[in-house]
Amino acid sequence: MESITPHQFYALLVVAILELGTIRIPRALAEAAGADAWLSAIAVFVFLTPVVLINLVLARRFPDEYFPSYSKRILGSFLGGALSFLYAGYWAVWMSLVLIEFGHIVRVVLLEKTPSELVVLYMLLVGLYLARQGLGPIARSAEILLLVVILVVVFSLTLTVAAGGLEFTSFLPFLADGPLPPLKAGLRAVGEVQGVALLLVLYPFLRRKAQALRATVAAMWGTVAVIVVGLAVVTQAALGVSELINTVWPVLSLERVVKIPFLERLDIVFLMFWATAVFTTVVIALYGSAHMLAGALGFKTHQVLLFPLLVVTFLMSSAEIPQATLEVLGQAFGFVTLAFTVFFPGLLLLVAALRGVGGVRG
Amino acid sequence: MRRSLALVILLLSSAILIGCWDRVELEERAFIMTIGIDLVKAEKTEPLEDTGVWQEEPPPQAAELPSARKEVRQGGDVTGLPATPIPGPGKEKMYKVTVEIANPGAMGGDQGGGGGGGGASAPANWVLSTTGDTISEAISELATRTGRRPYLGHLMMIVVGEDAAREGLGGVIDFFVRSGEVTRTAKFMVAAGEAADVLKVKPKLDRLIAVYLERTLQSREVTSRFRERDLNRLLRDLRFDNATLVARVTPFEEEAKVAGAGIIAGNRLVGYLGEAETRAALLILGELAGGTLVIPCPDEDGGRVTYLLDEATRTIRPEWREDHLHFSVEIEMSGRVAERTCPSPINPQFLAKVGEGVAAQVEREVTFVLKKLQRDFGADVLQLGEELWRRDPKLWRRIDWRQEFPRATFDIKVKVKVTAYGQST
């Protein structure tokens, strides 16, 4: 069995979760919580903690077993297989939605005439090459690309703060309607954070499992939360709440507030590097999807399934979905995500406990 | 090894090939640095089917300038204010878009100097106008005359002519916000007259109007006679209550004067504040950064004292008093004597009297501006509503701000410190 280090586990989790939702989320929070949007960004991660824990506890119950295998042991061969199949489909759809949105952004901001299908195809092809090699190369790439992602976030946040356009009155009135609206907004946005369920795929590969919790906490709270909350705070301070809810990709609009001599289009620079975050998400989701599918169908290796998955994903991502419809789909997909990050893992955990499958003895 | 090579080739090819469709050489781009937007009478347009007959010109209709009070009836979103319809140019009018295109070949060397790369004789900019029903249509039209693709990634200035601004800013701004090229750092101002005239100015020290206007705006701390707004800050203001103050630029032949402020209410230009009025408005907005204030010499006839402002802060406390809103405005200023044309000796008593004189003048100016905005325009361009919303959202929700603002009362307290008097006693 391939294995990954705790640091690779951490890097994989972070780059899987950071994608386009990260640059979109401040708007959804501001719509629901107004000036307390930044608080709801923190609330998202408070609510995500039990969600992550459910997945981690489930994975720890079967430390050296893949999800498709233990889901069959818990729910029976048919239902367990079907569940793995569903996960594969969920990640394929997620990938497609991410790629469609990426195509939209690239067309609006960067390449007006270049067919976005081509951009998506290249990303998928490189992703396919990497995913074919197994989780090891993906993990090593994730470690390097995570640095790129962190650097671009730090770079853009520093520049925005240094540019001096932040108005901290944007955070007032503070809790105008009490703590409920930001909490509600945070709860609603839990589904917007995708990629948490990939933990179920990654865990069995982890070499020193005792460090799983530490790596997960470092990924979710130490990195993803810091980036998401940081971007939410600075975006709100720079754009103001009323303008924030009128922007489609607030973090990209934030980059357009900064002007540096010889680097006037900071949004393009940001997007170029943020493509890294999109790429890593696609690779990990592609691998996860193939891994689940192989388990569900009883294949020995995931490799043969990568190409068909790539074709399906490419066709789905080539769908001519208008920007407005994509937004609605994205919101609806948040509920689907909750099924795969909360409901199914919770159900598996419950049934496994009731039936005495897995656990300390294993 | 072969696999690594394949990966490298794949990555390299993606880097080279991806952008082919959008490849535009630098010399094929028309770098638009300044945009001026005016309103003109609609031109005759070609009918859809080419019958050889021109369409009838729509009957001329006088541009109606709605009363100022009606302007302030629209609003933002989180605040609970109703939304604003976006006013456009209407059927009988169209936008005249004047652009300043930079000539990179003539930009070498110092600004105003000889130039390099064969640019000494070539003009550094090209100013031309085009028309369209919308801004984007007019800008697309440019390509038919420039032989180059318009590029707005370096846009520095957006100047809106008086007529276009009076008609409505919503239709003007939408293009810039939606565009994938325009950055939010582009500065925004209204022209007293035609925006096209501002772009025709031939500055003496700068080769581009955009650079000239940008440098003029940078003198904010010296003069405090205008309010600088970039696209981002303009949007922030307008999204709240569709009201703000923007810099006014008046074109002359060889210069453009940036002074005073356009009053935007209900997304339209409804009037102007003069230079001193703008300074008072900046004080209430908490944006006064410097500048001078001249007062008569205390206890003397004829002489003058110039007070040079170093720093100003203000605190606004809104409260509900019986049947109306009341704002307590406390202003604290710190500065020095920059000039004195009277024989009075400079001593603590004199400086204290200068402070009192400045305070009295500032109080007068601030009170005047507030009255003017309440009485003549009913426009909260000083963002007092926003202050109320932030400080007391419960009170904000109980009242109808647009009804209450003209009735609100103010209590202005000004404290002035004179900290120094230069190198002469």
Side-chain angles (χ1 to χ4, degrees), chain B residues 32-315:
Chain B
I32 298 177
M33 308 302 289
T34 312
I35 284 188
I37 296 160
D38 291 300
L39 268 190
V40 289
K41 218 164 133 186
E43 289 171 359
K44 290 172 181 175
T45 48
E46 270 180 285
L48 215 55
E49 284 175 30
D50 188 8
T51 55
V53 180
W54 289 98
Q55 269 186 351
E56 284 293 315
E57 192 184 335
Q61 212 172 328
E64 217 174 273
L65 193 66
S67 76
R69 280 294 166 82
K70 284 184 196 160
E71 306 305 304
V72 208
R73 299 298 132 193
Q74 300 84 20
D77 16 56
V78 284
T79 54
L81 295 168
T84 317
I86 296 176
K91 276 185 184 169
E92 68 281 3
K93 294 194 181 148
M94 63 199 309
Y95 289 117
K96 174 184 164 192
V97 175
T98 306
V99 296
E100 178 194 35
I101 297 171
N103 176 10
M107 297 299 289
D110 289 332
Q111 286 282 317
S121 56
N125 66 355
W126 180 19
V127 176
L128 70 160
S129 299
T130 181
T131 53
D133 284 332
T134 60
I135 312 289
S136 47
E137 188 192 43
I139 288 175
S140 308
E141 283 274 317
L142 276 177
T144 62
R145 294 200 272 149
T146 55
R148 282 165 179 74
R149 200 173 156 154
Y151 181 68
L152 291 155
H154 296 287
L155 181 70
M156 290 168 75
M157 289 291 155
I158 302 166
V159 184
V160 181
E162 192 173 290
D163 283 352
R166 282 192 189 278
E167 196 74 19
L169 287 185
V172 173
I173 295 170
D174 191 72
F175 164 75
F176 297 103
V177 185
R178 215 169 283 282
S179 161
E181 289 180 353
V182 181
T183 63
R184 287 169 173 250
T185 52
K187 303 289 190 299
F188 188 94
M189 46 178 88
V190 290
E194 282 216 3
D197 292 338
V198 177
L199 275 84
K200 284 178 198 156
V201 167
K202 306 270 179 234
K204 292 281 186 199
L205 298 176
D206 296 294
R207 305 179 79 183
L208 292 178
I209 311 284
V211 174
Y212 170 60
L213 291 177
E214 172 91 15
R215 285 186 175 162
T216 311
L217 285 176
Q218 282 168 2
S219 69
R220 191 171 72 96
E221 292 182 10
V222 181
T223 63
S224 287
R225 298 290 170 120
F226 53 83
R227 189 184 195 207
E228 186 194 300
R229 291 280 95 175
D230 60 18
L231 202 52
N232 190 51
R233 286 191 172 87
L234 179 80
L235 282 165
R236 284 185 68 134
D237 293 351
L238 292 182
R239 294 279 192 218
F240 188 86
D241 196 15
N242 301 303
T244 189
L245 284 179
V246 294
R248 173 179 67 178
V249 54
T250 312
F252 302 99
E253 202 165 305
E254 289 182 340
E255 60 183 50
K257 185 177 182 182
V258 183
I263 302 170
I264 309 292
N267 266 343
R268 297 168 195 259
L269 176 72
V270 294
Y272 293 108
L273 286 185
E275 294 177 37
E277 291 168 351
T278 304
R279 184 177 57 200
L282 289 174
L283 201 48
I284 304 169
L285 283 161
E287 294 176 14
L288 194 67
T292 53
L293 217 131
V294 182
I295 57 160
C297 270
D299 306 329
E300 302 263 354
D301 283 333
R304 295 269 189 276
V305 176
T306 307
Y307 178 77
L308 182 65
L309 180 80
D310 287 325
E311 201 186 349
T313 55
R314 64 95 172 94
T315 316

Side-chain angles (χ1 to χ4, degrees), chain A:
Chain A
M1 190 198 248
E2 277 184 292
S3 65
I4 52 173
T5 64
H7 185 263
Q8 288 173 338
F9 179 77
Y10 151 81
L12 281 165
L13 263 184
V14 174
V15 293
I17 294 169
L18 294 178
E19 39 104 3
L20 297 174
T22 318
I23 64 170
R24 201 179 348 97
I25 205 165
R27 175 187 163 199
L29 299 175
E31 273 175 345
D36 296 321
W38 66 282
L39 275 177
S40 56
I42 298 171
V44 173
F45 289 89
V46 172
F47 292 122
L48 260 176
T49 305
V51 175
V52 174
L53 280 179
I54 290 173
N55 286 273
L56 196 62
V57 170
L58 176 64
R60 286 180 97 156
R61 201 174 171 92
F62 306 93
D64 297 312
E65 206 175 339
Y66 295 137
F67 180 90
S69 161
Y70 63 74
S71 69
K72 281 179 185 169
R73 280 213 289 143
I74 298 170
L75 297 176
S77 188
F78 177 75
L79 280 180
L83 189 58
S84 302
F85 201 82
L86 280 178
Y87 267 94
Y90 158 64
W91 284 322
V93 173
W94 175 39
M95 254 190 300
S96 309
L97 287 174
V98 169
L99 289 170
I100 294 172
E101 190 172 5
F102 186 64
H104 274 299
I105 297 182
V106 168
R107 200 178 301 142
V108 170
V109 178
L110 197 57
L111 305 169
E112 220 173 284
K113 300 276 185 293
T114 306
S116 52
E117 289 83 0
L118 202 75
V119 181
V120 165
L121 187 64
Y122 266 105
M123 200 174 258
L124 279 172
L125 282 175
V126 180
L128 171 79
Y129 177 80
L130 203 55
R132 263 186 72 84
Q133 313 301 313
L135 196 60
I138 299 177
R140 288 195 291 279
S141 312
E143 278 181 306
I144 298 167
L145 297 178
L146 173 65
L147 275 180
V148 177
V149 173
I150 289 178
L151 274 178
V152 73
V153 171
V154 171
F155 180 67
S156 70
L157 287 184
T158 311
L159 284 178
T160 321
V161 174
L166 305 190
E167 286 180 25
F168 289 93
T169 47
S170 304
F171 302 112
L172 295 174
F174 180 66
L175 294 180
D177 297 303
L180 219 53
L183 286 176
K184 269 187 187 168
L187 189 60
R188 208 177 302 162
V190 167
E192 302 269 328
V193 183
Q194 318 276 351
V196 174
L198 280 164
L199 192 149
L200 297 172
V201 173
L202 302 177
Y203 187 82
F205 295 95
L206 182 61
R207 207 175 293 160
R208 292 185 292 278
K209 298 210 162 47
Q211 292 184 30
L213 183 64
R214 208 173 131 194
T216 310
V217 169
M220 291 304 299
W221 276 97
T223 312
V224 178
V226 169
I227 289 175
V228 171
V229 174
L231 286 173
V233 167
V234 176
T235 310
Q236 187 175 340
L239 303 180
V241 179
S242 301
E243 173 57 8
L244 178 56
I245 60 179
N246 278 290
T247 52
V248 181
W249 298 291
V251 177
L252 279 187
S253 298
L254 172 75
E255 304 306 318
R256 290 166 67 185
V257 174
V258 185
K259 185 177 171 184
I260 314 167
F262 307 108
L263 196 59
E264 296 191 358
R265 298 290 310 277
L266 199 65
D267 54 336
I268 291 181
V269 179
F270 181 86
L271 184 62
M272 276 163 58
F273 286 102
W274 201 252
T276 310
V278 177
F279 171 71
T280 46
T281 298
V282 167
V283 176
I284 300 167
L286 186 66
Y287 177 84
S289 201
H291 174 87
M292 286 291 192
L293 212 52
L297 299 173
F299 283 54
K300 280 189 179 164
T301 168
H302 72 287
Q303 288 177 332
V304 286
L305 290 163
L306 283 171
F307 189 72
L309 258 172
L310 179 139
V311 173
V312 171
T313 308
F314 177 68
L315 289 176
M316 284 197 289
S317 62
S318 304
E320 286 283 330
I321 300 181
Q323 206 174 328
T325 316
L326 188 67
E327 277 193 33
V328 178
L329 272 178
Q331 283 165 8
F333 195 69
F335 292 103
V336 178
T337 297
L338 287 180
F340 287 92
T341 51
V342 182
F343 180 70
F344 290 132
L347 183 75
L348 283 173
L349 203 56
L350 189 70
V351 177
L354 289 175
R355 294 181 58 185
V357 184
V360 183
R361 187 181 50 86

